[in-house]
Amino acid sequence: MTATALPIETDWDNAPSVLDGARTLRLSPQERNLPYWLRHVAGTMLGRLSDDAVPEAAPTEAVRTPGPLREALIDEFTFRHLAEEKAARALSLLVFHAPGTDDLEFFATQLIDEARHARAFKEHLLRLDLTPAEIDAAIARTAATTAAAVLDPLEDFGLSVLRDEDDYYGGVLVLTVLVEGVLAPAAELSERKWSPLDPAAALVERGANMDEIRHLAVGSSVVRRYLTQHPEQRPRLLKLITEGRRLWEELPMRQVLIRRESLFQEGLAQHAGLVGDYEIWSGRRLVDTGIEERMEAAERWSRETQDSRLAYMLLSDGAR
Ligand code: FE
Ligand code: FE
């Protein structure tokens, strides 16, 4: 069999981090269509998970025993599960409104990606020795608290654009910049911080993050294509960005993150031995980081990711 070049973003060994990939890769829906996805994502990327080519560890004792670290993981993964399900549902409307086959195929694959992510986060919780009933109860708790406070208003905003206004490009913009552009950098932080404490959780994040590179890059190329052809639509899309950012400022995401990072911090102190000298980023040991520092990093990454995507979409005056 001749070796065929693997698209970099589907290569477990060489894919960039979501931060680098989402800022720099240029991917279009024409190339990231259904045959691409079946071959490189379902075929190679996911295939390597099921044939054990990507080494998979079981969840560590540190997260399988009750305590703050396990609570932090449950808190985070139930939230992610709910966010991914909402994304999958919203994507059905992008598929519905897609103006042509390329866009339809790409967003159909993204819909499946998000449904897979929702499943992967939930399945990881099952591996923490929680019963399905306990997981459902934890998901219901998160749905009624942090998800209700943050995800429900975001979903309402997205649906007002996609369902009430039938605004396909507005919907792509909201999803790419205001949802994925914020959540992907948080997921990058998550992958890095769980890596020494629960490598299996970090692997779930890594798989999802490789998909996010594609979602961010293709979503922004769809908006760029549209604004190149219809420059008169810029003010309308800029207004949407401003409205979305105003909404984000009102959402209690900070409180959600403080709670999550506080639990993590307690767990980190308890399991410092597992973490050792592991560096969360170059020159900085995870054990030396604090709640604020990690939150600030995610916040900065998110701003940088959004700004670089907006510039690529020809909407740089929407950047801060
Ligand atoms: Fe996702
Ligand atoms: Fe995504």
Side-chain angles (χ1 to χ4, degrees):
M1 213 171 77
T2 47
T4 42
L6 212 52
I8 184 88
E9 76 279 5
T10 61
D11 183 344
W12 279 95
D13 305 314
N14 298 304
S17 76
V18 68
L19 293 182
D20 294 332
R23 282 178 205 158
T24 55
L25 282 185
R26 305 272 180 260
L27 309 175
S28 72
Q30 284 86 336
E31 310 148 347
R32 266 53 190 170
N33 56 12
L34 203 46
Y36 154 92
W37 188 91
L38 290 169
R39 182 164 175 207
H40 295 294
V41 180
T44 319
M45 186 175 151
L46 297 177
R48 287 197 66 193
L49 273 184
S50 51
D51 68 13
D52 293 333
V54 176
E56 157 81 304
T60 54
E61 199 55 38
V63 289
R64 286 176 45 231
T65 36
L69 196 67
R70 177 190 172 98
E71 282 311 305
L73 190 58
I74 295 172
D75 190 67
E76 182 167 353
F77 274 35
T78 52
F79 186 88
R80 289 297 299 281
H81 167 78
L82 289 161
E84 302 287 354
E85 278 208 337
K86 282 190 192 297
R89 290 175 200 278
L91 274 153
S92 69
L93 289 165
L94 281 184
V95 174
F96 182 79
H97 287 301
T101 301
D102 290 331
D103 288 29
L104 179 145
E105 288 193 2
F106 174 76
F107 287 115
T109 67
Q110 184 173 344
L111 191 162
I112 300 290
D113 289 336
E114 309 301 7
R116 276 173 37 230
H117 299 168
R119 167 180 281 267
F121 287 110
K122 187 172 172 180
E123 277 183 343
H124 188 68
L125 296 175
L126 266 173
R127 299 170 66 205
L128 303 182
D129 305 333
L130 288 163
T131 65
E134 285 169 329
I135 292 170
D136 288 343
I139 290 173
R141 239 180 352 260
T142 302
T145 53
T146 50
V150 172
L151 298 179
D152 291 2
L154 260 184
E155 181 178 41
D156 289 342
F157 181 66
L159 290 181
S160 73
V161 174
L162 265 171
R163 188 188 54 200
D164 306 340
E165 307 282 328
D166 291 342
D167 179 357
Y168 172 75
Y169 291 99
V172 176
L173 180 68
V174 167
L175 189 72
T176 305
V177 177
L178 297 167
V179 181
E180 308 247 45
V182 177
L183 297 180
E188 169 79 19
L189 176 72
S190 183
E191 182 185 329
R192 293 185 190 200
K193 74 181 199 195
W194 286 110
S195 174
L197 287 158
D198 187 15
L203 189 70
V204 171
E205 291 282 6
R206 171 74 173 152
N209 288 344
M210 286 168 72
D211 292 326
E212 294 317 329
I213 296 174
R214 244 172 23 250
H215 301 166
L216 281 156
V218 176
S220 36
S221 87
V222 167
V223 176
R224 182 186 167 93
R225 180 192 72 203
Y226 176 64
L227 285 180
T228 305
Q229 291 161 0
H230 302 277
E232 77 286 354
Q233 296 294 326
R234 286 185 76 253
R236 189 174 68 78
L237 293 189
L238 274 175
K239 192 164 149 262
L240 255 185
I241 288 289
T242 311
E243 281 170 28
R245 285 199 158 148
R246 201 174 304 135
L247 170 66
W248 261 114
E249 279 162 25
E250 291 162 13
L251 299 179
M253 192 60 196
R254 204 181 146 72
Q255 287 90 304
V256 171
L257 290 178
I258 288 179
R259 180 189 140 76
R260 186 185 292 172
E261 291 301 324
S262 304
L263 286 166
F264 184 83
Q265 194 71 26
E266 269 186 71
L268 181 62
Q270 278 179 11
H271 300 281
L274 259 183
V275 179
D277 289 329
Y278 168 83
E279 292 187 352
I280 186 162
W281 47 80
S282 180
R284 188 68 177 153
R285 297 195 315 162
L286 174 59
V287 283
D288 298 330
T289 62
I291 299 167
E292 280 292 329
E293 183 181 354
R294 290 192 301 273
M295 284 174 55
E296 269 167 29
E299 159 71 25
R300 189 176 61 250
W301 294 343
S302 146
R303 205 167 42 237
E304 289 166 5
T305 304
Q306 291 184 48
D307 289 352
S308 74
R309 284 293 101 185
L310 282 169
Y312 178 65
M313 291 177 188
L314 313 172
L315 286 168
S316 32
D317 27 356
R320 284 160 293 192

